[in-house]
Amino acid sequence: MTSERNVCGVEKTVRITLGLLLLGIGLFADIATGWRVLSLVLSATALLTGIIGYCPLNKILGANSCRIKQD
């Protein structure tokens, strides 16, 4: 089984950075509970898609930031 990747390069870096930023906001900012939960959910989503290199929404939209290897 080959793993399909559609998140690479700068997009991967941005997702991980954004995920860490949202995690910090969710854990340490003095915000309402609803915003805290939203921040943590978005953080988890951004970190997970950045780390594993696959985003289902990118697949649906046909977006792919990984370069295609040519034989």
Side-chain angles (χ1 to χ4, degrees):
M1 179 178 167
T2 61
S3 63
E4 183 179 351
R5 297 181 66 184
N6 60 12
V7 177
C8 295
V10 173
E11 183 180 0
K12 187 172 189 166
T13 304
V14 168
R15 285 176 184 259
I16 292 172
T17 303
L18 181 62
L20 291 173
L21 177 66
L22 288 170
L23 180 63
I25 290 170
L27 293 176
F28 301 113
D30 185 24
I31 54 177
T33 303
W35 290 111
R36 182 178 311 276
V37 170
L38 180 63
S39 177
L40 293 173
V41 168
L42 293 175
S43 168
T45 303
L47 283 171
L48 185 62
T49 58
I51 291 169
I52 66 172
Y54 177 77
C55 177
L57 185 59
N58 276 9
K59 176 74 170 174
I60 292 169
L61 297 175
N64 189 341
S65 62
C66 296
R67 295 183 183 199
I68 298 172
K69 294 182 181 178
Q70 304 214 353
D71 296 327

Short mmCIF file of all heavy atoms in Angstrom, two decimals:
data_model
loop_
_atom_site.label_atom_id
_atom_site.label_comp_id
_atom_site.label_asym_id
_atom_site.label_seq_id
_atom_site.Cartn_x
_atom_site.Cartn_y
_atom_site.Cartn_z
N MET A 1 0.85 -1.18 0.00
CA MET A 1 0.00 0.00 0.00
C MET A 1 0.89 1.24 0.00
O MET A 1 1.77 1.39 0.83
CB MET A 1 -0.88 -0.02 1.25
CG MET A 1 -1.78 1.15 1.36
SD MET A 1 -2.81 0.96 2.83
CE MET A 1 -3.44 2.59 2.94
N THR A 2 0.65 2.12 -0.93
CA THR A 2 1.41 3.36 -0.98
C THR A 2 0.61 4.45 -0.29
O THR A 2 -0.60 4.51 -0.40
CB THR A 2 1.71 3.76 -2.44
OG1 THR A 2 0.48 3.96 -3.11
CG2 THR A 2 2.53 2.72 -3.14
N SER A 3 1.32 5.29 0.40
CA SER A 3 0.62 6.40 1.07
C SER A 3 0.52 7.58 0.12
O SER A 3 1.50 7.96 -0.53
CB SER A 3 1.35 6.80 2.35
OG SER A 3 2.63 7.28 2.04
N GLU A 4 -0.67 8.10 0.02
CA GLU A 4 -0.90 9.25 -0.85
C GLU A 4 -0.63 10.52 -0.06
O GLU A 4 -1.16 10.70 1.03
CB GLU A 4 -2.35 9.24 -1.33
CG GLU A 4 -2.68 10.33 -2.28
CD GLU A 4 -4.13 10.25 -2.74
OE1 GLU A 4 -4.80 9.27 -2.44
OE2 GLU A 4 -4.56 11.20 -3.38
N ARG A 5 0.20 11.39 -0.59
CA ARG A 5 0.52 12.65 0.07
C ARG A 5 0.05 13.79 -0.81
O ARG A 5 0.24 13.75 -2.02
CB ARG A 5 2.02 12.76 0.31
CG ARG A 5 2.52 11.66 1.26
CD ARG A 5 3.96 11.77 1.52
NE ARG A 5 4.19 13.01 2.24
CZ ARG A 5 5.36 13.47 2.57
NH1 ARG A 5 6.44 12.81 2.25
NH2 ARG A 5 5.50 14.60 3.21
N ASN A 6 -0.58 14.78 -0.21
CA ASN A 6 -0.98 15.95 -0.97
C ASN A 6 -0.65 17.25 -0.23
O ASN A 6 -1.09 18.31 -0.61
CB ASN A 6 -2.46 15.90 -1.36
CG ASN A 6 -3.39 15.82 -0.18
OD1 ASN A 6 -2.99 16.03 0.97
ND2 ASN A 6 -4.65 15.52 -0.43
N VAL A 7 0.14 17.13 0.84
CA VAL A 7 0.60 18.30 1.61
C VAL A 7 2.12 18.19 1.74
O VAL A 7 2.62 17.28 2.40
CB VAL A 7 -0.06 18.36 3.00
CG1 VAL A 7 0.48 19.52 3.80
CG2 VAL A 7 -1.57 18.45 2.89
N CYS A 8 2.84 19.08 1.09
CA CYS A 8 4.30 19.06 1.13
C CYS A 8 4.85 20.48 1.16
O CYS A 8 4.10 21.44 0.99
CB CYS A 8 4.86 18.35 -0.11
SG CYS A 8 4.46 16.61 -0.22
N GLY A 9 6.14 20.58 1.36
CA GLY A 9 6.85 21.85 1.24
C GLY A 9 6.36 22.94 2.17
O GLY A 9 6.16 22.73 3.36
N VAL A 10 6.15 24.11 1.60
CA VAL A 10 5.75 25.29 2.37
C VAL A 10 4.40 25.07 3.04
O VAL A 10 4.19 25.47 4.18
CB VAL A 10 5.71 26.54 1.45
CG1 VAL A 10 5.15 27.73 2.20
CG2 VAL A 10 7.09 26.85 0.91
N GLU A 11 3.47 24.42 2.34
CA GLU A 11 2.15 24.18 2.93
C GLU A 11 2.26 23.34 4.20
O GLU A 11 1.57 23.61 5.20
CB GLU A 11 1.24 23.47 1.92
CG GLU A 11 -0.16 23.27 2.45
CD GLU A 11 -1.10 22.58 1.47
OE1 GLU A 11 -0.67 22.24 0.35
OE2 GLU A 11 -2.25 22.38 1.85
N LYS A 12 3.13 22.37 4.20
CA LYS A 12 3.33 21.52 5.38
C LYS A 12 3.88 22.36 6.54
O LYS A 12 3.41 22.26 7.68
CB LYS A 12 4.28 20.39 5.02
CG LYS A 12 4.43 19.36 6.08
CD LYS A 12 5.24 18.17 5.56
CE LYS A 12 5.19 17.07 6.56
NZ LYS A 12 5.64 15.80 6.05
N THR A 13 4.85 23.19 6.25
CA THR A 13 5.45 24.06 7.27
C THR A 13 4.42 25.04 7.84
O THR A 13 4.35 25.24 9.05
CB THR A 13 6.64 24.84 6.68
OG1 THR A 13 7.58 23.91 6.14
CG2 THR A 13 7.31 25.70 7.71
N VAL A 14 3.61 25.61 6.96
CA VAL A 14 2.58 26.56 7.40
C VAL A 14 1.55 25.86 8.28
O VAL A 14 1.14 26.39 9.32
CB VAL A 14 1.89 27.23 6.18
CG1 VAL A 14 0.65 27.99 6.59
CG2 VAL A 14 2.88 28.15 5.48
N ARG A 15 1.13 24.68 7.90
CA ARG A 15 0.15 23.94 8.70
C ARG A 15 0.69 23.62 10.10
O ARG A 15 -0.03 23.77 11.09
CB ARG A 15 -0.26 22.65 7.99
CG ARG A 15 -1.18 22.88 6.82
CD ARG A 15 -1.45 21.55 6.11
NE ARG A 15 -2.25 21.75 4.93
CZ ARG A 15 -3.55 21.51 4.86
NH1 ARG A 15 -4.19 21.06 5.91
NH2 ARG A 15 -4.21 21.72 3.74
N ILE A 16 1.92 23.16 10.18
CA ILE A 16 2.50 22.82 11.48
C ILE A 16 2.67 24.07 12.33
O ILE A 16 2.34 24.08 13.52
CB ILE A 16 3.82 22.06 11.30
CG1 ILE A 16 3.54 20.68 10.69
CG2 ILE A 16 4.57 21.92 12.62
CD1 ILE A 16 4.77 19.91 10.27
N THR A 17 3.15 25.16 11.74
CA THR A 17 3.32 26.41 12.47
C THR A 17 1.98 26.95 12.96
O THR A 17 1.84 27.35 14.12
CB THR A 17 4.02 27.46 11.58
OG1 THR A 17 5.27 26.93 11.14
CG2 THR A 17 4.24 28.75 12.34
N LEU A 18 0.99 26.95 12.08
CA LEU A 18 -0.35 27.41 12.46
C LEU A 18 -0.94 26.52 13.56
O LEU A 18 -1.56 27.01 14.50
CB LEU A 18 -1.26 27.41 11.23
CG LEU A 18 -2.69 27.89 11.45
CD1 LEU A 18 -2.70 29.35 11.90
CD2 LEU A 18 -3.50 27.72 10.18
N GLY A 19 -0.72 25.22 13.45
CA GLY A 19 -1.20 24.30 14.47
C GLY A 19 -0.60 24.57 15.83
O GLY A 19 -1.30 24.56 16.85
N LEU A 20 0.70 24.84 15.86
CA LEU A 20 1.36 25.15 17.13
C LEU A 20 0.88 26.48 17.70
O LEU A 20 0.68 26.61 18.91
CB LEU A 20 2.88 25.16 16.95
CG LEU A 20 3.51 23.80 16.67
CD1 LEU A 20 4.98 23.96 16.32
CD2 LEU A 20 3.33 22.86 17.85
N LEU A 21 0.68 27.46 16.83
CA LEU A 21 0.17 28.76 17.26
C LEU A 21 -1.24 28.62 17.86
O LEU A 21 -1.53 29.14 18.94
CB LEU A 21 0.15 29.74 16.09
CG LEU A 21 -0.42 31.12 16.37
CD1 LEU A 21 0.47 31.87 17.34
CD2 LEU A 21 -0.57 31.90 15.08
N LEU A 22 -2.11 27.90 17.16
CA LEU A 22 -3.47 27.69 17.67
C LEU A 22 -3.48 26.87 18.95
O LEU A 22 -4.32 27.09 19.83
CB LEU A 22 -4.33 27.03 16.60
CG LEU A 22 -4.72 27.90 15.42
CD1 LEU A 22 -5.36 27.07 14.31
CD2 LEU A 22 -5.63 29.02 15.87
N LEU A 23 -2.56 25.93 19.07
CA LEU A 23 -2.45 25.15 20.30
C LEU A 23 -2.09 26.05 21.47
O LEU A 23 -2.68 25.97 22.55
CB LEU A 23 -1.40 24.04 20.13
CG LEU A 23 -1.17 23.13 21.33
CD1 LEU A 23 -2.43 22.34 21.65
CD2 LEU A 23 -0.01 22.20 21.05
N GLY A 24 -1.13 26.94 21.26
CA GLY A 24 -0.75 27.90 22.30
C GLY A 24 -1.90 28.80 22.69
O GLY A 24 -2.14 29.06 23.87
N ILE A 25 -2.65 29.27 21.70
CA ILE A 25 -3.81 30.13 21.98
C ILE A 25 -4.85 29.34 22.77
O ILE A 25 -5.39 29.82 23.77
CB ILE A 25 -4.41 30.69 20.68
CG1 ILE A 25 -3.45 31.71 20.06
CG2 ILE A 25 -5.79 31.30 20.92
CD1 ILE A 25 -3.82 32.14 18.66
N GLY A 26 -5.13 28.13 22.33
CA GLY A 26 -6.14 27.31 23.00
C GLY A 26 -5.78 26.95 24.42
O GLY A 26 -6.65 26.84 25.29
N LEU A 27 -4.50 26.77 24.68
CA LEU A 27 -4.08 26.37 26.03
C LEU A 27 -3.85 27.54 26.97
O LEU A 27 -4.10 27.42 28.17
CB LEU A 27 -2.80 25.53 25.94
CG LEU A 27 -2.95 24.16 25.29
CD1 LEU A 27 -1.57 23.49 25.20
CD2 LEU A 27 -3.93 23.28 26.05
N PHE A 28 -3.36 28.66 26.45
CA PHE A 28 -2.89 29.72 27.34
C PHE A 28 -3.65 31.05 27.27
O PHE A 28 -3.51 31.86 28.17
CB PHE A 28 -1.41 29.98 27.09
CG PHE A 28 -0.56 28.76 27.31
CD1 PHE A 28 0.10 28.15 26.26
CD2 PHE A 28 -0.42 28.22 28.57
CE1 PHE A 28 0.87 27.02 26.45
CE2 PHE A 28 0.35 27.08 28.78
CZ PHE A 28 1.00 26.48 27.72
N ALA A 29 -4.43 31.28 26.22
CA ALA A 29 -5.14 32.55 26.09
C ALA A 29 -6.36 32.59 26.99
O ALA A 29 -7.00 31.56 27.25
CB ALA A 29 -5.54 32.80 24.64
N ASP A 30 -6.69 33.76 27.45
CA ASP A 30 -7.88 33.96 28.28
C ASP A 30 -9.05 34.25 27.35
O ASP A 30 -9.40 35.40 27.11
CB ASP A 30 -7.64 35.11 29.26
CG ASP A 30 -8.79 35.28 30.24
OD1 ASP A 30 -9.51 34.29 30.47
OD2 ASP A 30 -8.96 36.40 30.75
N ILE A 31 -9.64 33.16 26.80
CA ILE A 31 -10.74 33.30 25.85
C ILE A 31 -11.92 32.43 26.30
O ILE A 31 -11.76 31.55 27.15
CB ILE A 31 -10.31 32.91 24.42
CG1 ILE A 31 -9.70 31.51 24.38
CG2 ILE A 31 -9.34 33.91 23.84
CD1 ILE A 31 -9.31 31.01 23.00
N ALA A 32 -13.08 32.68 25.72
CA ALA A 32 -14.28 31.92 26.06
C ALA A 32 -14.10 30.44 25.70
O ALA A 32 -13.32 30.10 24.80
CB ALA A 32 -15.48 32.49 25.32
N THR A 33 -14.83 29.59 26.38
CA THR A 33 -14.70 28.14 26.20
C THR A 33 -14.95 27.73 24.75
O THR A 33 -14.23 26.87 24.22
CB THR A 33 -15.68 27.40 27.12
OG1 THR A 33 -15.41 27.81 28.47
CG2 THR A 33 -15.53 25.90 27.00
N GLY A 34 -15.93 28.29 24.10
CA GLY A 34 -16.22 27.95 22.70
C GLY A 34 -15.05 28.24 21.78
O GLY A 34 -14.71 27.43 20.92
N TRP A 35 -14.44 29.41 21.96
CA TRP A 35 -13.27 29.78 21.15
C TRP A 35 -12.07 28.88 21.48
O TRP A 35 -11.28 28.54 20.60
CB TRP A 35 -12.90 31.24 21.35
CG TRP A 35 -13.90 32.16 20.74
CD1 TRP A 35 -14.76 33.00 21.40
CD2 TRP A 35 -14.18 32.34 19.35
NE1 TRP A 35 -15.54 33.68 20.50
CE2 TRP A 35 -15.20 33.30 19.23
CE3 TRP A 35 -13.66 31.79 18.19
CZ2 TRP A 35 -15.72 33.70 18.01
CZ3 TRP A 35 -14.18 32.19 16.96
CH2 TRP A 35 -15.19 33.13 16.89
N ARG A 36 -11.95 28.51 22.75
CA ARG A 36 -10.86 27.62 23.16
C ARG A 36 -10.99 26.26 22.47
O ARG A 36 -10.03 25.73 21.92
CB ARG A 36 -10.87 27.45 24.68
CG ARG A 36 -9.74 26.59 25.22
CD ARG A 36 -9.77 26.50 26.74
NE ARG A 36 -9.90 27.78 27.39
CZ ARG A 36 -8.88 28.61 27.64
NH1 ARG A 36 -7.66 28.27 27.30
NH2 ARG A 36 -9.09 29.76 28.24
N VAL A 37 -12.20 25.71 22.49
CA VAL A 37 -12.44 24.41 21.85
C VAL A 37 -12.18 24.51 20.35
O VAL A 37 -11.52 23.64 19.77
CB VAL A 37 -13.87 23.92 22.15
CG1 VAL A 37 -14.21 22.70 21.30
CG2 VAL A 37 -14.03 23.61 23.63
N LEU A 38 -12.69 25.55 19.71
CA LEU A 38 -12.47 25.74 18.28
C LEU A 38 -10.98 25.83 17.97
O LEU A 38 -10.49 25.21 17.02
CB LEU A 38 -13.19 26.99 17.79
CG LEU A 38 -13.02 27.31 16.30
CD1 LEU A 38 -13.62 26.20 15.44
CD2 LEU A 38 -13.65 28.65 15.98
N SER A 39 -10.25 26.58 18.77
CA SER A 39 -8.81 26.73 18.58
C SER A 39 -8.09 25.38 18.69
O SER A 39 -7.21 25.06 17.89
CB SER A 39 -8.25 27.72 19.60
OG SER A 39 -6.86 27.82 19.48
N LEU A 40 -8.48 24.59 19.67
CA LEU A 40 -7.83 23.29 19.87
C LEU A 40 -8.19 22.30 18.76
O LEU A 40 -7.33 21.52 18.31
CB LEU A 40 -8.19 22.72 21.24
CG LEU A 40 -7.61 23.50 22.42
CD1 LEU A 40 -8.16 22.97 23.74
CD2 LEU A 40 -6.09 23.48 22.41
N VAL A 41 -9.42 22.33 18.28
CA VAL A 41 -9.82 21.45 17.18
C VAL A 41 -9.08 21.82 15.90
O VAL A 41 -8.55 20.95 15.19
CB VAL A 41 -11.36 21.49 16.97
CG1 VAL A 41 -11.76 20.83 15.66
CG2 VAL A 41 -12.07 20.84 18.14
N LEU A 42 -9.03 23.11 15.59
CA LEU A 42 -8.29 23.56 14.41
C LEU A 42 -6.80 23.27 14.53
O LEU A 42 -6.15 22.91 13.55
CB LEU A 42 -8.54 25.05 14.17
CG LEU A 42 -9.95 25.44 13.75
CD1 LEU A 42 -10.08 26.96 13.66
CD2 LEU A 42 -10.34 24.78 12.45
N SER A 43 -6.28 23.40 15.74
CA SER A 43 -4.88 23.09 15.98
C SER A 43 -4.59 21.62 15.69
O SER A 43 -3.63 21.28 15.00
CB SER A 43 -4.51 23.41 17.43
OG SER A 43 -3.26 22.87 17.75
N ALA A 44 -5.43 20.75 16.22
CA ALA A 44 -5.24 19.31 16.01
C ALA A 44 -5.33 18.97 14.52
O ALA A 44 -4.53 18.17 14.01
CB ALA A 44 -6.28 18.52 16.81
N THR A 45 -6.27 19.57 13.83
CA THR A 45 -6.44 19.32 12.40
C THR A 45 -5.22 19.78 11.61
O THR A 45 -4.70 19.05 10.78
CB THR A 45 -7.70 20.03 11.88
OG1 THR A 45 -8.83 19.59 12.63
CG2 THR A 45 -7.93 19.74 10.41
N ALA A 46 -4.76 20.99 11.88
CA ALA A 46 -3.60 21.53 11.16
C ALA A 46 -2.34 20.71 11.45
O ALA A 46 -1.58 20.38 10.54
CB ALA A 46 -3.38 22.99 11.54
N LEU A 47 -2.12 20.37 12.72
CA LEU A 47 -0.94 19.58 13.07
C LEU A 47 -0.98 18.19 12.45
O LEU A 47 0.01 17.71 11.89
CB LEU A 47 -0.80 19.46 14.59
CG LEU A 47 -0.27 20.69 15.30
CD1 LEU A 47 -0.40 20.53 16.81
CD2 LEU A 47 1.17 20.95 14.92
N LEU A 48 -2.12 17.54 12.53
CA LEU A 48 -2.24 16.18 11.99
C LEU A 48 -2.03 16.16 10.48
O LEU A 48 -1.26 15.34 9.98
CB LEU A 48 -3.61 15.60 12.35
CG LEU A 48 -3.85 14.15 11.97
CD1 LEU A 48 -2.87 13.24 12.70
CD2 LEU A 48 -5.27 13.75 12.29
N THR A 49 -2.69 17.06 9.76
CA THR A 49 -2.53 17.06 8.30
C THR A 49 -1.11 17.48 7.91
O THR A 49 -0.58 16.98 6.92
CB THR A 49 -3.56 17.98 7.62
OG1 THR A 49 -3.43 19.30 8.11
CG2 THR A 49 -4.97 17.47 7.82
N GLY A 50 -0.49 18.36 8.68
CA GLY A 50 0.88 18.76 8.39
C GLY A 50 1.87 17.65 8.64
O GLY A 50 2.80 17.43 7.86
N ILE A 51 1.67 16.92 9.72
CA ILE A 51 2.62 15.85 10.08
C ILE A 51 2.49 14.64 9.16
O ILE A 51 3.49 14.11 8.68
CB ILE A 51 2.43 15.45 11.55
CG1 ILE A 51 2.90 16.59 12.46
CG2 ILE A 51 3.17 14.16 11.87
CD1 ILE A 51 2.53 16.43 13.92
N ILE A 52 1.25 14.21 8.88
CA ILE A 52 1.10 13.01 8.04
C ILE A 52 1.19 13.31 6.55
O ILE A 52 1.40 12.42 5.75
CB ILE A 52 -0.20 12.25 8.35
CG1 ILE A 52 -1.43 13.07 7.98
CG2 ILE A 52 -0.24 11.79 9.77
CD1 ILE A 52 -2.73 12.29 8.07
N GLY A 53 1.02 14.60 6.17
CA GLY A 53 1.18 14.98 4.78
C GLY A 53 -0.03 14.69 3.91
O GLY A 53 0.08 14.65 2.68
N TYR A 54 -1.18 14.49 4.51
CA TYR A 54 -2.40 14.21 3.74
C TYR A 54 -3.56 15.01 4.29
O TYR A 54 -3.76 15.05 5.51
CB TYR A 54 -2.75 12.72 3.79
CG TYR A 54 -4.02 12.40 3.05
CD1 TYR A 54 -4.05 12.33 1.67
CD2 TYR A 54 -5.21 12.19 3.75
CE1 TYR A 54 -5.22 12.07 0.99
CE2 TYR A 54 -6.38 11.92 3.07
CZ TYR A 54 -6.39 11.85 1.69
OH TYR A 54 -7.55 11.60 1.03
N CYS A 55 -4.32 15.63 3.41
CA CYS A 55 -5.50 16.41 3.80
C CYS A 55 -6.69 15.97 2.95
O CYS A 55 -6.65 16.12 1.72
CB CYS A 55 -5.24 17.90 3.62
SG CYS A 55 -6.66 18.92 4.01
N PRO A 56 -7.74 15.42 3.57
CA PRO A 56 -8.91 14.98 2.80
C PRO A 56 -9.56 16.12 2.01
O PRO A 56 -10.04 15.90 0.90
CB PRO A 56 -9.87 14.44 3.87
CG PRO A 56 -9.02 14.13 5.05
CD PRO A 56 -7.87 15.08 4.99
N LEU A 57 -9.59 17.32 2.57
CA LEU A 57 -10.18 18.45 1.85
C LEU A 57 -9.38 18.78 0.59
O LEU A 57 -9.96 19.09 -0.45
CB LEU A 57 -10.28 19.68 2.76
CG LEU A 57 -10.99 20.89 2.17
CD1 LEU A 57 -12.42 20.53 1.77
CD2 LEU A 57 -10.99 22.04 3.15
N ASN A 58 -8.06 18.69 0.66
CA ASN A 58 -7.24 18.89 -0.54
C ASN A 58 -7.59 17.86 -1.59
O ASN A 58 -7.64 18.17 -2.78
CB ASN A 58 -5.75 18.79 -0.20
CG ASN A 58 -5.17 20.08 0.32
OD1 ASN A 58 -5.88 21.03 0.60
ND2 ASN A 58 -3.86 20.11 0.48
N LYS A 59 -7.83 16.63 -1.18
CA LYS A 59 -8.20 15.56 -2.10
C LYS A 59 -9.51 15.90 -2.80
O LYS A 59 -9.63 15.77 -4.02
CB LYS A 59 -8.31 14.24 -1.34
CG LYS A 59 -8.78 13.08 -2.15
CD LYS A 59 -7.71 12.59 -3.07
CE LYS A 59 -8.15 11.27 -3.70
NZ LYS A 59 -7.23 10.82 -4.70
N ILE A 60 -10.50 16.35 -2.03
CA ILE A 60 -11.81 16.71 -2.59
C ILE A 60 -11.69 17.86 -3.57
O ILE A 60 -12.30 17.86 -4.64
CB ILE A 60 -12.80 17.05 -1.46
CG1 ILE A 60 -13.12 15.80 -0.65
CG2 ILE A 60 -14.07 17.68 -2.01
CD1 ILE A 60 -13.88 16.07 0.64
N LEU A 61 -10.86 18.85 -3.22
CA LEU A 61 -10.70 20.03 -4.07
C LEU A 61 -9.71 19.82 -5.22
O LEU A 61 -9.55 20.67 -6.08
CB LEU A 61 -10.25 21.22 -3.22
CG LEU A 61 -11.23 21.68 -2.15
CD1 LEU A 61 -10.61 22.78 -1.29
CD2 LEU A 61 -12.53 22.14 -2.77
N GLY A 62 -8.99 18.69 -5.19
CA GLY A 62 -8.01 18.42 -6.23
C GLY A 62 -6.71 19.17 -6.06
O GLY A 62 -5.94 19.32 -7.00
N ALA A 63 -6.45 19.67 -4.84
CA ALA A 63 -5.23 20.42 -4.56
C ALA A 63 -4.12 19.45 -4.15
O ALA A 63 -4.35 18.46 -3.47
CB ALA A 63 -5.47 21.42 -3.46
N ASN A 64 -2.91 19.76 -4.59
CA ASN A 64 -1.76 18.92 -4.25
C ASN A 64 -0.51 19.79 -4.29
O ASN A 64 -0.14 20.29 -5.35
CB ASN A 64 -1.64 17.76 -5.22
CG ASN A 64 -0.60 16.75 -4.78
OD1 ASN A 64 0.27 17.04 -3.96
ND2 ASN A 64 -0.68 15.57 -5.34
N SER A 65 0.15 19.98 -3.15
CA SER A 65 1.36 20.80 -3.11
C SER A 65 2.63 19.96 -3.24
O SER A 65 3.72 20.50 -3.19
CB SER A 65 1.40 21.63 -1.83
OG SER A 65 1.45 20.79 -0.70
N CYS A 66 2.47 18.65 -3.43
CA CYS A 66 3.64 17.78 -3.62
C CYS A 66 3.98 17.72 -5.10
O CYS A 66 3.10 17.61 -5.96
CB CYS A 66 3.34 16.36 -3.11
SG CYS A 66 3.02 16.29 -1.36
N ARG A 67 5.26 17.77 -5.39
CA ARG A 67 5.69 17.68 -6.77
C ARG A 67 5.54 16.25 -7.26
O ARG A 67 5.84 15.30 -6.55
CB ARG A 67 7.14 18.11 -6.91
CG ARG A 67 7.31 19.56 -6.58
CD ARG A 67 8.71 19.99 -6.79
NE ARG A 67 8.80 21.38 -6.38
CZ ARG A 67 9.76 22.18 -6.73
NH1 ARG A 67 10.75 21.74 -7.45
NH2 ARG A 67 9.76 23.43 -6.33
N ILE A 68 5.08 16.13 -8.47
CA ILE A 68 4.88 14.80 -9.06
C ILE A 68 6.23 14.29 -9.57
O ILE A 68 6.93 14.98 -10.32
CB ILE A 68 3.86 14.87 -10.20
CG1 ILE A 68 2.51 15.33 -9.65
CG2 ILE A 68 3.73 13.52 -10.89
CD1 ILE A 68 1.49 15.62 -10.74
N LYS A 69 6.58 13.07 -9.15
CA LYS A 69 7.82 12.46 -9.63
C LYS A 69 7.60 11.89 -11.01
O LYS A 69 6.65 11.17 -11.25
CB LYS A 69 8.27 11.35 -8.67
CG LYS A 69 8.68 11.86 -7.32
CD LYS A 69 9.15 10.72 -6.45
CE LYS A 69 9.53 11.24 -5.07
NZ LYS A 69 9.94 10.17 -4.18
N GLN A 70 8.50 12.24 -11.92
CA GLN A 70 8.39 11.74 -13.28
C GLN A 70 9.43 10.65 -13.48
O GLN A 70 10.57 10.78 -13.05
CB GLN A 70 8.59 12.87 -14.27
CG GLN A 70 7.61 13.99 -14.03
CD GLN A 70 7.19 14.66 -15.31
OE1 GLN A 70 7.71 14.36 -16.36
NE2 GLN A 70 6.24 15.54 -15.20
N ASP A 71 9.05 9.58 -14.14
CA ASP A 71 9.96 8.44 -14.37
C ASP A 71 10.94 8.75 -15.46
O ASP A 71 10.74 9.28 -16.46
CB ASP A 71 9.17 7.18 -14.73
CG ASP A 71 8.31 6.77 -13.54
OD1 ASP A 71 8.70 6.96 -12.39
OD2 ASP A 71 7.24 6.21 -13.81
#
